[in-house]
Amino acid sequence: QVQLVESGGGLVQAGGSLRLSCAASGIIFRIHAMGWYRQAPGKQRELVATIIRGGGTTYAGSVKGRFTISRDNAKNTVYLQMDSLQPEDTAVYYCNLDLYSGDYWGQGTQVTVSS
């Protein structure tokens, strides 16, 4: 059984910063990638950023240059540093763990950016 525990969401003013964390536990063998997705009210879930086993990263165009994804392999933990937050970043952020054997999601953490 694999579990993902997210933390770090909250309310912040525009221009502020937040750091999300997601710790994976359970029976975990080879990790292909870990990442963050988000879903705003009335919208589909979208990719924010991913980091693959070898360290390569991918970002959505809307967050490139403002968000940074990183990973602690020893702790099976992925982080998302979010700077220069804007109201349009408001959403529930979900952690994703992509194993070669399956795909897992966290419960989501709310990020709200006030103008």
Side-chain angles (χ1 to χ4, degrees):
Q1 191 77 3
V2 175
Q3 288 188 326
L4 300 176
V5 178
E6 300 152 337
S7 61
L11 173 64
V12 65
Q13 288 188 331
S17 299
L18 285 174
R19 188 188 193 215
L20 304 183
S21 299
C22 173
S25 62
I27 302 175
I28 299 172
F29 294 110
R30 292 181 67 197
I31 296 176
H32 174 241
M34 296 186 78
W36 292 93
Y37 291 70
R38 67 186 181 187
Q39 188 167 16
K43 295 187 177 181
Q44 290 189 329
R45 190 174 297 190
E46 63 176 2
L47 169 74
V48 177
T50 61
I51 182 166
I52 64 172
R53 181 177 178 83
T57 57
T58 302
Y59 293 93
S62 60
V63 308
K64 197 172 293 185
R66 300 188 297 123
F67 291 9
T68 303
I69 191 169
S70 61
R71 181 173 144 185
D72 184 332
N73 291 329
K75 297 180 179 179
N76 285 335
T77 299
V78 65
Y79 306 96
L80 185 68
Q81 177 66 40
M82 304 185 293
D83 298 317
S84 301
L85 282 160
Q86 300 301 317
E88 52 266 35
D89 295 316
T90 295
V92 178
Y93 284 69
Y94 296 91
C95 175
N96 174 262
L97 172 63
D98 179 4
L99 303 179
Y100 289 97
S101 60
D103 201 25
Y104 299 87
W105 292 91
Q107 79 284 358
T109 185
Q110 177 70 44
V111 171
T112 302
V113 185
S114 63
S115 57

